[in-house]
Amino acid sequence: PNFCSAFRPPSRAKQLDAIGLTRASAKPCEALCRCLDPSGGDWEDLDPPESHEWLDAMLDKTPDQSFDNFVASRPNVPDKVRRTIYLQPLCDPADFEAVPFPQGPWPSWQALETAVREFYFPLGVVTLPAMAMDQLSPKPKSRKNSYGKQYHAGQVLEALMNQSLPRNAFCTLAVTMCDLYPREEWNFVYGLASLKQRLVFLFLSATSPKET
């Protein structure tokens, strides 16, 4: 069914209002304004969605969120104690010894860790020992279809929640090259998160140039 055929990108005025750049008071800091302000032409408007694209089929399930709404949701923020991002690779440790993706099974971990460190500076970044999917407890369900082997993302997330979160962790970011699905009727999912548990779980291959 065509849920969102009437979707149109918001006007520039609505974009600025949504990210809080039109208010004289309570305006975001200068650095945040520079990152978000589309006036310089660094941000492109979304094109109207094609049939079966996410915005066409799922917009009613993912409503817009303004900057004010985001702040009001009281998201996790770093503090004096929780200032480290822990990276959890979900793979065979031997995968890191191979040539980088796409020739090998994984991207360069050094490049990935450096990107996270630079983007989220001044937070610290620590890589945890690699762990294969089948080592998770309880072991997540998997299936095979035309996409290959896929793991149940919800069960992977639940298994990761059983791992202790370091006291200084702002969050744990678990990444994998294994394909994921959230429920039987879905083909795949990019990842899942639990903000309360400070845990994010991502499927890297789905966002690679080769896949997109």
Side-chain angles (χ1 to χ4, degrees), residues 121-186:
F121 180 83
L123 298 186
V125 177
V126 174
T127 294
L128 299 170
M131 179 185 303
M133 281 285 200
D134 293 337
Q135 291 179 313
L136 293 174
S137 181
K139 183 178 177 180
K141 179 182 177 181
S142 63
R143 70 182 185 185
K144 287 187 177 182
N145 54 24
S146 59
Y147 291 92
K149 188 173 184 178
Q150 296 180 304
Y151 287 89
H152 192 291
Q155 294 183 8
V156 174
L157 190 68
E158 290 176 5
L160 289 169
M161 289 180 188
N162 291 332
Q163 309 293 323
S164 59
L165 186 70
R167 183 173 178 272
N168 67 338
F170 172 66
C171 71
T172 296
L173 172 58
V175 291
T176 185
M177 293 293 282
C178 298
D179 206 343
L180 307 170
Y181 71 100
R183 57 188 67 174
E184 291 299 330
E185 61 269 27
W186 283 47

Side-chain angles (χ1 to χ4, degrees), residues 78-95:
D79 56 32
K80 292 181 179 180
V81 175
R82 295 187 177 278
R83 299 189 58 81
T84 301
I85 297 173
Y86 283 85
L87 301 179
Q88 174 63 74
L90 296 176
C91 66
D92 187 319
D95 288 347

